Amino acid sequence: MNQTKPRVALFITCLGDQFFPQVGECAVEILRRLGVDVAFDPAQTCCGQPAFNTGYRNEACEVAARNLELFGDVDYVVAPSGSCTTMVRSFYPELFAGDAARLAQVERLRGRFYEFSEFLVNVLNVEDVGARFPHRVAYHDSCHLLRELGIESEPRKLLRAVHDLELVEMSDYRLCCGFGGTFSVKFPEVSVAMGEDKARAAVESGAEYLVANDSGCLMHLAGVIHRERLPLKTLHLAEVLAGEGPK
Amino acid sequence: MTEPGVQSNSIHELARRAMADAHLEEAYRSSSLRLYTHRLSAIAKVPGFERLRDRAREIKRDVMEHLGDYLEQFESNIIRLGGEVHWAPTAEEASAAVLEICRRAGAREVVKAKSMVGEEIELNHALEAAGIRAVESDLGELIVQLAGERPAHIVAPAIHKTREDVSRLFVEHLHSEPTTEPERLTAIARGALREIFARAAVGLSGANFGVAETGSIVVIENEGNIRFSTTAPRIHIVLMGIEKLIPRFADLGIFLRLLARSGTGQKLTSYTSILTGPRRAGEDGPEEMHVILVDNGRIRTLADEKMREALYCIRCGACLNACPVYRKIGGHAYGWVYSGPIGALITPQFMGISNARELPFASSLCGACREVCPVRINIPDLLLHLRTEAQQRTETPRPPRSLVSERASMRIWAWAMKRPWAYSLGGALMRFGLKAFARWDTSSGGRWVKKFEWFPLSAWTESRDFPAPARMPFRDRWKKISTR
């Protein structure tokens, strides 16, 4: 690592900002603990995925274009969401195809844009962040993180390194939880049925906590778990990693 | 008989109806999961399977880039071998070509092997209207024919029927003794078919591949009925989508290694028939061979550079088996012949986006389909592309209980997201607005909305709860922690 602290801008994501601000606080705390200089630009809003996912590319473009201007002066941008990271890394090039100037900006941004667990393990080369969490945990792979970005081992490495944490795998752990962005309200019955399968798989695995890296999946799964009164809690990975380490 | 036409825009109702039947959901779940698992163990035994997929994709890409040339080569080879080629731009013309061949032969019945193109052009309707009996020789096809349904799956038409369902159908329509033993059930179907095989003048099949270099038709199966239908009758009719070509005979090895493993997890199916022209002097086989090359929307798909990739499909059904949405809603909910992820792609292409504009949205875009596709079609990406097309070219249906149209809500959303002050104001309004609806829950230590009147929250809270927004968003909390 360089002598100077790496400068990281946090991309909190709209869901994280409005619904799960504690996830952002945990991420900031962990990054600072690891010697990172964290910045947050309140000019940021959303990555544009809701419109892109629903087929409104012009609207998605307008919102996404703002993000190309925002993070000029930092070494990295880190988001506590696999889906928003995928939006920037995998879909921005498609969204701005045909606009050479924008594409150049996209290239500059996506090369520095990381999902939180990926950043810790692959950029900072850290697995043990010194956390303690004496519970049984199942990790849910969000589909974008798993299949678009190929990040499967990184969050598991981080969880395995947490003191007193027991990591269990759910049956069919690669299966989608059914959130799917606007799919969750366009096909609510299907979405919830998939969510119920996932939540049940987590309960059957013996986990007390279902942990993921995406606020969308977590909001959906928590909603299903709460409605069904299942003996299970949901947490973002950053919340687990911010847990008090051994004294 | 099935209702003709496309019902794909009714996917919401059809899916709800299917999911209300727990018996059906379990049949779909267990059968698709079994095929999915079989595929996994089958491909694990093939070294270089991923390279085979790359190669197959490359070949299919080449075929689509030069489809006109390959089709001409294929046609001239079939003619050279003594077969006839019929070009069918539409479903109606394809059916008309079949009827004309039957009329000339004076045939009153046709023995059909499994053909998805046959389903696509609704051949059974055309045959019935012309007074010609369609005899399904494929067990799965026979079952769905007796049930008056469409195939529920590309390779396993009766995937949704249990042994008990099949027994009831056979008792009712074939007047057999009730039995749930698979062997007995197959024997009943076979008994009903043998006699017709022996006397039918016309046999009809689909084609898994057409080899441009040799003019060969390749069909694969497990039951032996295709071989029977294509060799015993005097006339063999092949219904084939124009995208089914492969350039060289040598390419067949690649595709055969992929197809059965991807579809059912078999190394090869029990029968692989390679039919190269009609009977030659001193040989067995049909006297006439007619190949009907069906377009029916494929050329339109080919013309779209992005969507062209959907034509690489070799109809293995792996994407259906892998799809968590298909496992829930089943094949019939897609409202046409092709279901699952590939059905959501090609139905709007073949039948027009306005007739199937909801299909591209029937996916969580999880990408499990792309992971198993033997020719690596980027299905989620193409579905996203089709969503854009649907929004640009068709009217968006207004969801129940929505105050503004989807388009208007997206415009407002984009307007606000471009202005951080408007975004923050929107957040504040949402916090304030939902406050009255959110109830504190001691056990989870949070505030939850359990019911809301207006879309989209009305849809969300139908059967799951919605967490109340945080009292203070991160951007405000940041002010406290930024300098720490």
Side-chain angles (χ1 to χ4, degrees):
Chain A
M1 189 128 304
N2 294 336
Q3 289 301 314
T4 53
K5 281 183 170 186
R7 275 181 56 75
V8 166
L10 181 69
F11 186 72
I12 184 68
T13 79
C14 56
L15 274 187
D17 186 29
Q18 298 293 332
F19 289 89
F20 307 103
Q22 74 280 10
V23 170
E25 289 179 322
C26 292
V28 170
E29 191 187 317
I30 294 157
L31 288 169
R32 281 180 176 159
R33 209 193 283 166
L34 297 172
V36 170
D37 185 5
V38 187
F40 175 78
D41 185 346
Q44 63 180 271
T45 58
C46 171
C47 66
Q49 184 154 216
F52 180 72
N53 173 291
T54 320
Y56 294 93
R57 293 210 178 187
N58 293 337
E59 285 78 1
C61 255
E62 290 173 24
V63 174
R66 292 188 67 254
N67 293 323
L68 302 179
E69 318 277 353
L70 282 181
F71 306 104
D73 60 337
V74 294
D75 301 321
Y76 303 100
V77 185
V78 171
S81 157
S83 199
C84 307
T85 305
T86 297
M87 182 66 196
V88 173
R89 291 232 300 253
S90 305
F91 299 142
Y92 274 16
E94 192 182 324
L95 201 54
F96 294 104
D99 184 338
R102 290 276 193 227
L103 271 182
Q105 286 181 300
V106 168
E107 282 311 311
R108 277 198 295 280
L109 180 61
R110 63 196 286 263
R112 296 178 291 144
F113 206 106
Y114 288 89
E115 183 274 332
F116 177 68
S117 72
E118 175 192 28
F119 183 73
L120 295 190
V121 175
N122 298 343
V123 179
L124 298 182
N125 296 309
V126 174
E127 289 180 18
D128 185 352
V129 298
R132 180 173 172 270
F133 194 76
H135 298 282
R136 191 178 286 182
V137 166
Y139 172 73
H140 165 61
D141 294 88
S142 86
C143 297
H144 275 158
L145 197 56
L146 177 67
R147 278 182 276 262
E148 294 285 348
L149 301 179
I151 294 167
E152 186 171 3
S153 65
E154 289 83 348
R156 290 179 169 81
K157 284 178 182 165
L158 290 164
L159 285 170
R160 282 205 190 91
V162 172
H163 298 258
D164 302 330
L165 183 149
E166 187 190 345
L167 182 65
V168 291
E169 289 290 357
M170 297 176 274
S171 61
D172 291 326
Y173 68 90
R174 297 171 66 91
L175 205 62
C176 175
C177 71
F179 170 64
T182 45
F183 173 78
S184 62
V185 289
K186 281 184 178 283
F187 287 86
E189 302 87 354
V190 190
S191 171
V192 168
M194 288 162 68
E196 286 170 348
D197 285 356
K198 183 57 71 181
R200 266 196 289 273
V203 171
E204 279 161 23
S205 74
E208 301 158 72
Y209 287 87
L210 181 55
V211 170
N213 287 0
D214 259 288
S215 300
C217 307
L218 285 168
M219 181 183 246
H220 163 70
L221 287 167
V224 169
I225 289 164
H226 193 254
R227 177 66 62 95
E228 308 257 311
R229 304 236 156 246
L230 295 174
L232 191 66
K233 295 184 190 96
T234 53
L235 279 181
H236 191 281
L237 177 72
E239 294 176 276
V240 176
L241 298 186
E244 283 290 300
K247 294 282 183 285
Chain B
M1 189 154 299
T2 55
E3 198 183 328
V6 198
Q7 286 92 41
S8 298
N9 282 338
S10 306
I11 184 171
H12 297 277
E13 294 85 67
L14 294 171
R16 219 167 287 144
R17 208 180 303 160
M19 288 178 68
D21 185 343
H23 170 76
L24 193 62
E25 196 183 325
E26 175 53 24
Y28 274 117
R29 191 198 63 81
S30 58
S31 305
S32 52
L33 200 60
R34 190 180 65 240
L35 291 172
Y36 177 77
T37 320
H38 286 176
R39 173 193 170 274
L40 280 179
S41 46
I43 67 165
K45 292 177 194 128
V46 186
F49 193 78
E50 297 308 309
R51 283 203 306 280
L52 278 178
R53 292 171 73 189
D54 293 336
R55 186 72 194 110
R57 179 182 171 84
E58 206 36 57
I59 292 168
K60 275 294 184 183
R61 201 187 61 81
D62 169 59
V63 169
M64 295 317 146
E65 299 306 314
H66 308 98
L67 188 59
D69 300 338
Y70 286 124
L71 280 168
E72 279 177 20
Q73 188 189 8
F74 183 62
E75 179 189 35
S76 66
N77 276 321
I78 290 173
I79 295 168
R80 178 180 55 78
L81 292 160
E84 275 186 54
V85 175
H86 311 255
W87 296 90
T90 63
E92 293 72 30
E93 284 158 289
S95 286
V98 175
L99 294 181
E100 177 57 23
I101 297 162
C102 292
R103 195 190 56 78
R104 269 191 291 170
R108 302 315 302 161
E109 56 191 12
V110 172
V111 176
K112 286 177 68 199
K114 183 178 171 319
S115 158
M116 287 305 284
V117 176
E119 294 288 338
E120 177 187 328
I121 64 170
E122 297 181 333
L123 180 62
N124 285 357
H125 286 277
L127 289 171
E128 193 190 55
I132 298 171
R133 187 174 162 220
V135 182
E136 297 292 354
S137 67
D138 179 89
L139 182 60
E141 284 283 346
L142 173 68
I143 294 166
V144 293
Q145 187 194 33
L146 295 179
E149 294 173 0
R150 278 187 172 137
H153 187 283
I154 290 174
V155 299
I159 191 170
H160 60 310
K161 297 285 185 208
T162 60
R163 279 182 280 172
E164 290 74 20
D165 298 333
V166 176
S167 172
R168 272 192 296 276
L169 281 169
F170 281 8
V171 170
E172 185 186 340
H173 297 278
L174 305 178
H175 314 294
S176 67
E177 293 295 311
T179 173
T180 54
E181 279 174 56
E183 293 75 17
R184 289 276 307 130
L185 290 168
T186 347
I188 294 165
R190 186 172 299 184
L193 285 170
R194 281 280 157 164
E195 182 198 345
I196 301 164
F197 270 134
R199 64 166 193 246
V202 177
L204 182 136
S205 78
N208 291 104
F209 304 100
V211 184
E213 179 186 58
T214 58
S216 308
I217 302 292
V218 184
V219 271
I220 69 164
E221 55 167 331
N222 284 314
E223 296 170 21
N225 63 303
I226 297 187
R227 185 160 294 176
F228 227 142
S229 330
T230 57
T231 51
R234 197 170 60 75
I235 297 168
H236 174 206
I237 302 175
V238 184
L239 273 175
M240 176 176 158
I242 54 170
E243 82 284 21
K244 286 298 181 90
L245 287 185
I246 55 173
R248 294 156 298 267
F249 199 78
D251 301 326
L252 191 56
I254 295 167
F255 286 96
L256 287 179
R257 268 182 283 175
L258 286 170
L259 180 51
R261 286 186 174 93
S262 300
T264 55
Q266 295 170 285
K267 282 186 202 163
L268 280 174
T269 48
S270 309
Y271 297 84
T272 301
S273 304
I274 300 168
L275 307 162
T276 309
R279 163 205 298 210
R280 272 159 278 189
E283 282 180 5
D284 255 355
E287 290 163 26
E288 295 177 28
M289 183 184 203
H290 299 265
V291 179
I292 303 175
L293 288 166
V294 182
D295 168 6
N296 202 32
R298 287 161 174 81
I299 288 175
R300 194 169 51 220
T301 310
L302 187 70
D304 185 328
E305 260 179 66
K306 177 87 181 179
M307 291 308 299
R308 191 175 293 172
E309 197 183 331
L311 297 176
Y312 298 180
C313 173
I314 59 172
R315 305 280 188 273
C316 69
C319 62
L320 281 66
N321 304 331
C323 178
V325 176
Y326 175 86
R327 287 183 195 165
K328 288 292 171 200
I329 70 177
H332 293 142
Y334 291 81
W336 198 47
V337 196
Y338 302 104
S339 53
I342 190 66
L345 272 191
I346 62 179
T347 306
Q349 290 298 301
F350 291 2
M351 303 307 281
I353 187 82
S354 58
N355 288 314
R357 66 100 57 210
E358 286 297 280
L359 287 195
F361 297 96
S363 164
S364 65
L365 303 177
C366 78
C369 47
R370 179 181 50 201
E371 206 167 55
V372 298
C373 176
V375 288
R376 299 192 196 279
I377 300 172
N378 194 345
I379 300 176
D381 189 45
L382 298 185
L383 286 174
L384 275 166
H385 183 75
L386 276 181
R387 288 182 183 187
T388 309
E389 204 177 309
Q391 302 296 21
Q392 284 167 353
R393 296 184 30 204
T394 70
E395 200 59 44
T396 310
R398 187 98 172 234
R401 318 205 63 77
S402 52
L403 293 168
V404 287
S405 73
E406 187 180 278
R407 181 167 298 279
S409 68
M410 279 297 169
R411 290 242 167 91
I412 298 165
W413 172 87
W415 184 89
M417 288 295 167
K418 285 190 289 180
R419 295 164 179 81
W421 66 265
Y423 161 87
S424 289
L425 181 65
L429 286 172
M430 173 181 67
R431 254 187 303 287
F432 179 75
L434 288 181
K435 211 170 179 178
F437 296 91
R439 298 273 170 276
W440 175 259
D441 182 81
T442 333
S443 67
S444 65
R447 295 174 66 84
W448 297 85
V449 180
K450 299 191 79 74
K451 191 171 166 34
F452 196 77
E453 279 297 301
W454 306 107
F455 189 82
L457 261 193
S458 54
W460 182 281
T461 54
E462 259 173 39
S463 37
R464 91 204 104 174
D465 295 337
F466 189 74
R471 279 164 203 271
M472 192 190 271
F474 179 82
R475 60 192 56 233
D476 294 340
R477 296 193 189 195
W478 173 256
K479 290 168 193 158
K480 290 181 194 157
I481 61 169
S482 60
T483 51
R484 205 166 64 196

PDB file of all heavy atoms in Angstrom, chain B residues 387-406:
ATOM      1  N   ARG B 387     -37.140  -4.868 -23.190  1.00  0.00           N
ATOM      2  CA  ARG B 387     -37.919  -3.996 -22.299  1.00  0.00           C
ATOM      3  C   ARG B 387     -37.937  -2.576 -22.863  1.00  0.00           C
ATOM      4  O   ARG B 387     -38.980  -1.920 -22.878  1.00  0.00           O
ATOM      5  CB  ARG B 387     -37.323  -3.992 -20.883  1.00  0.00           C
ATOM      6  CG  ARG B 387     -37.562  -5.273 -20.141  1.00  0.00           C
ATOM      7  CD  ARG B 387     -37.015  -5.240 -18.718  1.00  0.00           C
ATOM      8  NE  ARG B 387     -37.225  -6.547 -18.083  1.00  0.00           N
ATOM      9  CZ  ARG B 387     -36.991  -6.796 -16.818  1.00  0.00           C
ATOM     10  NH1 ARG B 387     -36.519  -5.856 -16.007  1.00  0.00           N
ATOM     11  NH2 ARG B 387     -37.211  -7.999 -16.319  1.00  0.00           N
ATOM     12  N   THR B 388     -36.794  -2.134 -23.325  1.00  0.00           N
ATOM     13  CA  THR B 388     -36.717  -0.793 -23.910  1.00  0.00           C
ATOM     14  C   THR B 388     -37.620  -0.716 -25.135  1.00  0.00           C
ATOM     15  O   THR B 388     -38.374   0.248 -25.305  1.00  0.00           O
ATOM     16  CB  THR B 388     -35.261  -0.481 -24.316  1.00  0.00           C
ATOM     17  OG1 THR B 388     -34.423  -0.754 -23.201  1.00  0.00           O
ATOM     18  CG2 THR B 388     -35.107   0.961 -24.720  1.00  0.00           C
ATOM     19  N   GLU B 389     -37.550  -1.757 -25.959  1.00  0.00           N
ATOM     20  CA  GLU B 389     -38.383  -1.778 -27.161  1.00  0.00           C
ATOM     21  C   GLU B 389     -39.868  -1.755 -26.775  1.00  0.00           C
ATOM     22  O   GLU B 389     -40.664  -1.045 -27.391  1.00  0.00           O
ATOM     23  CB  GLU B 389     -38.059  -3.037 -27.960  1.00  0.00           C
ATOM     24  CG  GLU B 389     -38.383  -2.909 -29.427  1.00  0.00           C
ATOM     25  CD  GLU B 389     -37.975  -4.152 -30.189  1.00  0.00           C
ATOM     26  OE1 GLU B 389     -36.810  -4.579 -30.047  1.00  0.00           O
ATOM     27  OE2 GLU B 389     -38.828  -4.698 -30.919  1.00  0.00           O
ATOM     28  N   ALA B 390     -40.214  -2.526 -25.758  1.00  0.00           N
ATOM     29  CA  ALA B 390     -41.616  -2.575 -25.313  1.00  0.00           C
ATOM     30  C   ALA B 390     -42.071  -1.183 -24.861  1.00  0.00           C
ATOM     31  O   ALA B 390     -43.185  -0.754 -25.188  1.00  0.00           O
ATOM     32  CB  ALA B 390     -41.780  -3.582 -24.178  1.00  0.00           C
ATOM     33  N   GLN B 391     -41.220  -0.473 -24.137  1.00  0.00           N
ATOM     34  CA  GLN B 391     -41.615   0.850 -23.638  1.00  0.00           C
ATOM     35  C   GLN B 391     -41.704   1.864 -24.772  1.00  0.00           C
ATOM     36  O   GLN B 391     -42.506   2.794 -24.724  1.00  0.00           O
ATOM     37  CB  GLN B 391     -40.639   1.359 -22.566  1.00  0.00           C
ATOM     38  CG  GLN B 391     -40.479   0.448 -21.350  1.00  0.00           C
ATOM     39  CD  GLN B 391     -41.735   0.272 -20.525  1.00  0.00           C
ATOM     40  OE1 GLN B 391     -42.855   0.495 -21.003  1.00  0.00           O
ATOM     41  NE2 GLN B 391     -41.579  -0.162 -19.282  1.00  0.00           N
ATOM     42  N   GLN B 392     -40.842   1.679 -25.793  1.00  0.00           N
ATOM     43  CA  GLN B 392     -40.852   2.645 -26.899  1.00  0.00           C
ATOM     44  C   GLN B 392     -41.993   2.394 -27.877  1.00  0.00           C
ATOM     45  O   GLN B 392     -42.532   3.318 -28.454  1.00  0.00           O
ATOM     46  CB  GLN B 392     -39.516   2.596 -27.652  1.00  0.00           C
ATOM     47  CG  GLN B 392     -38.403   3.287 -26.889  1.00  0.00           C
ATOM     48  CD  GLN B 392     -37.029   2.979 -27.462  1.00  0.00           C
ATOM     49  OE1 GLN B 392     -36.877   2.139 -28.353  1.00  0.00           O
ATOM     50  NE2 GLN B 392     -36.010   3.672 -26.956  1.00  0.00           N
ATOM     51  N   ARG B 393     -42.349   1.132 -28.072  1.00  0.00           N
ATOM     52  CA  ARG B 393     -43.258   0.819 -29.174  1.00  0.00           C
ATOM     53  C   ARG B 393     -44.655   0.385 -28.763  1.00  0.00           C
ATOM     54  O   ARG B 393     -45.518   0.191 -29.612  1.00  0.00           O
ATOM     55  CB  ARG B 393     -42.615  -0.241 -30.075  1.00  0.00           C
ATOM     56  CG  ARG B 393     -41.345   0.313 -30.721  1.00  0.00           C
ATOM     57  CD  ARG B 393     -40.693  -0.624 -31.692  1.00  0.00           C
ATOM     58  NE  ARG B 393     -41.619  -1.507 -32.370  1.00  0.00           N
ATOM     59  CZ  ARG B 393     -41.281  -2.671 -32.895  1.00  0.00           C
ATOM     60  NH1 ARG B 393     -40.047  -3.084 -32.814  1.00  0.00           N
ATOM     61  NH2 ARG B 393     -42.169  -3.416 -33.509  1.00  0.00           N
ATOM     62  N   THR B 394     -44.867   0.175 -27.464  1.00  0.00           N
ATOM     63  CA  THR B 394     -46.208  -0.251 -27.052  1.00  0.00           C
ATOM     64  C   THR B 394     -46.666   0.567 -25.850  1.00  0.00           C
ATOM     65  O   THR B 394     -45.870   1.206 -25.179  1.00  0.00           O
ATOM     66  CB  THR B 394     -46.249  -1.741 -26.653  1.00  0.00           C
ATOM     67  OG1 THR B 394     -45.532  -1.887 -25.417  1.00  0.00           O
ATOM     68  CG2 THR B 394     -45.631  -2.635 -27.697  1.00  0.00           C
ATOM     69  N   GLU B 395     -47.943   0.509 -25.624  1.00  0.00           N
ATOM     70  CA  GLU B 395     -48.535   1.187 -24.484  1.00  0.00           C
ATOM     71  C   GLU B 395     -48.224   0.390 -23.216  1.00  0.00           C
ATOM     72  O   GLU B 395     -48.390  -0.827 -23.192  1.00  0.00           O
ATOM     73  CB  GLU B 395     -50.056   1.226 -24.719  1.00  0.00           C
ATOM     74  CG  GLU B 395     -50.801   2.270 -23.930  1.00  0.00           C
ATOM     75  CD  GLU B 395     -50.312   3.679 -24.225  1.00  0.00           C
ATOM     76  OE1 GLU B 395     -50.094   4.021 -25.416  1.00  0.00           O
ATOM     77  OE2 GLU B 395     -50.130   4.434 -23.264  1.00  0.00           O
ATOM     78  N   THR B 396     -47.765   1.070 -22.170  1.00  0.00           N
ATOM     79  CA  THR B 396     -47.504   0.379 -20.912  1.00  0.00           C
ATOM     80  C   THR B 396     -48.820   0.205 -20.162  1.00  0.00           C
ATOM     81  O   THR B 396     -49.509   1.184 -19.915  1.00  0.00           O
ATOM     82  CB  THR B 396     -46.554   1.211 -20.024  1.00  0.00           C
ATOM     83  OG1 THR B 396     -45.433   1.581 -20.800  1.00  0.00           O
ATOM     84  CG2 THR B 396     -46.103   0.427 -18.814  1.00  0.00           C
ATOM     85  N   PRO B 397     -49.185  -1.016 -19.820  1.00  0.00           N
ATOM     86  CA  PRO B 397     -50.441  -1.168 -19.079  1.00  0.00           C
ATOM     87  C   PRO B 397     -50.344  -0.499 -17.710  1.00  0.00           C
ATOM     88  O   PRO B 397     -49.287  -0.504 -17.087  1.00  0.00           O
ATOM     89  CB  PRO B 397     -50.596  -2.687 -18.943  1.00  0.00           C
ATOM     90  CG  PRO B 397     -49.263  -3.265 -19.199  1.00  0.00           C
ATOM     91  CD  PRO B 397     -48.487  -2.295 -20.019  1.00  0.00           C
ATOM     92  N   ARG B 398     -51.418   0.118 -17.307  1.00  0.00           N
ATOM     93  CA  ARG B 398     -51.429   0.815 -16.022  1.00  0.00           C
ATOM     94  C   ARG B 398     -51.660  -0.202 -14.912  1.00  0.00           C
ATOM     95  O   ARG B 398     -52.684  -0.880 -14.910  1.00  0.00           O
ATOM     96  CB  ARG B 398     -52.574   1.825 -16.075  1.00  0.00           C
ATOM     97  CG  ARG B 398     -52.671   2.757 -14.917  1.00  0.00           C
ATOM     98  CD  ARG B 398     -52.031   4.088 -15.273  1.00  0.00           C
ATOM     99  NE  ARG B 398     -52.297   5.045 -14.220  1.00  0.00           N
ATOM    100  CZ  ARG B 398     -52.849   6.228 -14.433  1.00  0.00           C
ATOM    101  NH1 ARG B 398     -53.203   6.584 -15.646  1.00  0.00           N
ATOM    102  NH2 ARG B 398     -53.033   7.056 -13.435  1.00  0.00           N
ATOM    103  N   PRO B 399     -50.718  -0.333 -13.979  1.00  0.00           N
ATOM    104  CA  PRO B 399     -50.952  -1.299 -12.904  1.00  0.00           C
ATOM    105  C   PRO B 399     -52.134  -0.851 -12.048  1.00  0.00           C
ATOM    106  O   PRO B 399     -52.420   0.354 -11.974  1.00  0.00           O
ATOM    107  CB  PRO B 399     -49.659  -1.261 -12.080  1.00  0.00           C
ATOM    108  CG  PRO B 399     -48.727  -0.355 -12.775  1.00  0.00           C
ATOM    109  CD  PRO B 399     -49.476   0.411 -13.807  1.00  0.00           C
ATOM    110  N   PRO B 400     -52.827  -1.804 -11.435  1.00  0.00           N
ATOM    111  CA  PRO B 400     -53.944  -1.403 -10.586  1.00  0.00           C
ATOM    112  C   PRO B 400     -53.474  -0.491  -9.452  1.00  0.00           C
ATOM    113  O   PRO B 400     -52.362  -0.642  -8.957  1.00  0.00           O
ATOM    114  CB  PRO B 400     -54.479  -2.741 -10.035  1.00  0.00           C
ATOM    115  CG  PRO B 400     -53.466  -3.772 -10.361  1.00  0.00           C
ATOM    116  CD  PRO B 400     -52.625  -3.245 -11.461  1.00  0.00           C
ATOM    117  N   ARG B 401     -54.301   0.442  -9.068  1.00  0.00           N
ATOM    118  CA  ARG B 401     -54.058   1.344  -7.956  1.00  0.00           C
ATOM    119  C   ARG B 401     -52.857   2.266  -8.158  1.00  0.00           C
ATOM    120  O   ARG B 401     -52.174   2.622  -7.204  1.00  0.00           O
ATOM    121  CB  ARG B 401     -53.888   0.586  -6.635  1.00  0.00           C
ATOM    122  CG  ARG B 401     -54.862  -0.566  -6.414  1.00  0.00           C
ATOM    123  CD  ARG B 401     -55.070  -0.878  -4.966  1.00  0.00           C
ATOM    124  NE  ARG B 401     -55.677   0.241  -4.269  1.00  0.00           N
ATOM    125  CZ  ARG B 401     -56.964   0.570  -4.332  1.00  0.00           C
ATOM    126  NH1 ARG B 401     -57.776  -0.134  -5.088  1.00  0.00           N
ATOM    127  NH2 ARG B 401     -57.433   1.603  -3.666  1.00  0.00           N
ATOM    128  N   SER B 402     -52.598   2.638  -9.411  1.00  0.00           N
ATOM    129  CA  SER B 402     -51.501   3.589  -9.617  1.00  0.00           C
ATOM    130  C   SER B 402     -52.063   4.963  -9.930  1.00  0.00           C
ATOM    131  O   SER B 402     -53.029   5.097 -10.682  1.00  0.00           O
ATOM    132  CB  SER B 402     -50.566   3.117 -10.730  1.00  0.00           C
ATOM    133  OG  SER B 402     -51.280   2.816 -11.895  1.00  0.00           O
ATOM    134  N   LEU B 403     -51.445   5.977  -9.342  1.00  0.00           N
ATOM    135  CA  LEU B 403     -51.937   7.350  -9.486  1.00  0.00           C
ATOM    136  C   LEU B 403     -51.481   7.974 -10.795  1.00  0.00           C
ATOM    137  O   LEU B 403     -52.179   8.775 -11.397  1.00  0.00           O
ATOM    138  CB  LEU B 403     -51.429   8.202  -8.309  1.00  0.00           C
ATOM    139  CG  LEU B 403     -52.014   7.818  -6.944  1.00  0.00           C
ATOM    140  CD1 LEU B 403     -51.240   8.506  -5.833  1.00  0.00           C
ATOM    141  CD2 LEU B 403     -53.484   8.184  -6.873  1.00  0.00           C
ATOM    142  N   VAL B 404     -50.285   7.613 -11.235  1.00  0.00           N
ATOM    143  CA  VAL B 404     -49.787   8.143 -12.507  1.00  0.00           C
ATOM    144  C   VAL B 404     -49.315   6.977 -13.360  1.00  0.00           C
ATOM    145  O   VAL B 404     -49.087   5.882 -12.857  1.00  0.00           O
ATOM    146  CB  VAL B 404     -48.596   9.120 -12.308  1.00  0.00           C
ATOM    147  CG1 VAL B 404     -49.069  10.428 -11.738  1.00  0.00           C
ATOM    148  CG2 VAL B 404     -47.528   8.502 -11.439  1.00  0.00           C
ATOM    149  N   SER B 405     -49.180   7.217 -14.665  1.00  0.00           N
ATOM    150  CA  SER B 405     -48.689   6.157 -15.546  1.00  0.00           C
ATOM    151  C   SER B 405     -47.226   5.872 -15.219  1.00  0.00           C
ATOM    152  O   SER B 405     -46.539   6.695 -14.628  1.00  0.00           O
ATOM    153  CB  SER B 405     -48.832   6.590 -16.996  1.00  0.00           C
ATOM    154  OG  SER B 405     -47.861   7.572 -17.291  1.00  0.00           O
ATOM    155  N   GLU B 406     -46.784   4.686 -15.637  1.00  0.00           N
ATOM    156  CA  GLU B 406     -45.386   4.306 -15.373  1.00  0.00           C
ATOM    157  C   GLU B 406     -44.429   5.289 -16.032  1.00  0.00           C
ATOM    158  O   GLU B 406     -43.440   5.719 -15.442  1.00  0.00           O
ATOM    159  CB  GLU B 406     -45.159   2.897 -15.900  1.00  0.00           C
ATOM    160  CG  GLU B 406     -43.813   2.327 -15.537  1.00  0.00           C
ATOM    161  CD  GLU B 406     -43.644   0.929 -16.093  1.00  0.00           C
ATOM    162  OE1 GLU B 406     -44.132  -0.012 -15.452  1.00  0.00           O
ATOM    163  OE2 GLU B 406     -43.043   0.782 -17.170  1.00  0.00           O
TER     164      GLU B 406
END
